[in-house]
Structures are given as structure tokens and as C-alpha cells.
Amino acid sequence: MEFLYKNNTITISSEKKNIILEKNHVDLDGLQIECAGEYEKSGFLMYVREDQKIHYYMFRVEGFWIGYIPEIPTEIDFFGQLDVLVAPFSKTEQKFLEQIEPKMLVTFAPTGSDLVAVLGAEIVSGNNYKLKNQDISQDKTSLVILQ
């Protein structure tokens, strides 16, 4: 699975299928999702919840549970055990990270590098990232900053 950041959009590619994460919707391999509910397309299962006009997404790709938060929420109680969280988090959103406790954070926030001090995590930076099983740690949250 690969994460690509281009023109403020994150694309997750898996076996020639794409999930495109936009601010106002998610494109699940050609199916545009803009409403809360449960969806399945091309072997991807996605749950969407809306709270205060913000959509939260949770889906499964290649055995990993991935959460996507396009905007900073006021509170969060939607996510269960996440392997990867994709969100515009920086140091000021530390309380949300502590609530969710993802194994890996993929952020696209301009100030995402501030999280290195908070998480004590290894950092990978660039416009693309290929996820490997060994990158998911049970002990600490790994950090990937997409620019």
C-alpha cells in the first residue's frame, strides 16, 4: 500500500485500486462518498460518520484499519483500534492522538514535524510513502509527514 500526497489530496493505492482522500469527500475506487453510512467497493470496506458537519472515515486496506480525519474535530469517539490515522494533526492536537492511539500517524499538516518531540517517533517525510508491516509498531506511534 502506498500513500501519495499531491495538490492537497492524499491517494492510497493498493493493488491498482485507489482511495482518494479529499477534504469534502472520499473517492473509494471510483465511488464518491459524501454521506455517513457503510460502504463496500472493490474489496474495500468503509464506515463513515458525520459529527458537526465533519465526516470521519474508517476503512480496511490490505489488513490494516485506516482512519481519516479531514479537519480537526472538537471531540472524537468514532475510532476503535487503528493501525494508521491520516489527519492534519500537529502538536496542538496531541490530546486527540492520545485518545485514538494509532500505531502510525500520516499527517499532511504544515507543522506536522512538531509531533516528533511529542511522539518521540521516527519520522519519514516526502510526498509518497510505501507502508510496510514492520513500520507498524505496537510500542509507539510512528510518524509520516506528507508534503
Side-chain angles (χ1 to χ4, degrees):
M1 168 181 5
E2 187 170 6
F3 294 82
L4 174 67
Y5 186 65
K6 187 175 179 182
N7 299 326
N8 294 323
T9 300
I10 295 176
T11 301
I12 300 172
S13 296
S14 172
E15 300 173 5
K16 298 184 181 179
K17 299 173 194 161
N18 293 320
I19 300 172
I20 302 170
L21 309 177
E22 303 253 5
K23 184 172 176 123
N24 298 321
H25 70 277
V26 168
D27 184 305
L28 185 62
D29 199 36
L31 175 63
Q32 188 167 323
I33 298 173
E34 299 173 325
C35 301
E38 182 177 320
Y39 302 87
E40 194 273 322
K41 173 88 189 297
S42 303
F44 297 126
L45 176 62
M46 178 176 282
Y47 300 98
V48 183
R49 181 170 177 195
E50 182 179 355
D51 186 27
Q52 299 179 9
K53 298 185 181 181
I54 298 174
H55 287 92
Y56 305 107
Y57 305 86
M58 190 166 82
F59 47 97
R60 193 157 175 84
V61 179
E62 295 182 17
F64 295 103
W65 278 106
I66 300 173
Y68 172 52
I69 301 174
E71 296 179 45
I72 305 305
T74 53
E75 67 177 68
I76 192 119
D77 62 357
F78 175 57
F79 298 109
Q81 196 66 5
L82 284 181
D83 296 305
V84 179
L85 175 63
V86 180
F89 284 178
S90 62
K91 189 175 179 178
T92 56
E93 287 78 40
Q94 179 180 352
K95 67 179 181 172
F96 294 112
L97 283 173
E98 290 170 355
Q99 283 180 307
I100 300 169
E101 294 182 326
K103 295 174 186 163
M104 174 179 281
L105 173 65
V106 176
T107 187
F108 47 95
T111 57
S113 58
D114 294 349
L115 284 165
V116 175
V118 172
L119 297 174
E122 294 182 26
I123 181 172
V124 177
S125 187
N127 69 343
N128 69 334
Y129 170 73
K130 186 167 175 99
L131 179 64
K132 298 172 264 340
N133 285 335
Q134 62 265 29
D135 295 343
I136 300 291
S137 171
Q138 301 296 327
D139 301 327
K140 63 180 180 177
T141 300
S142 302
L143 178 62
V144 175
I145 300 173
L146 296 175
Q147 304 171 345

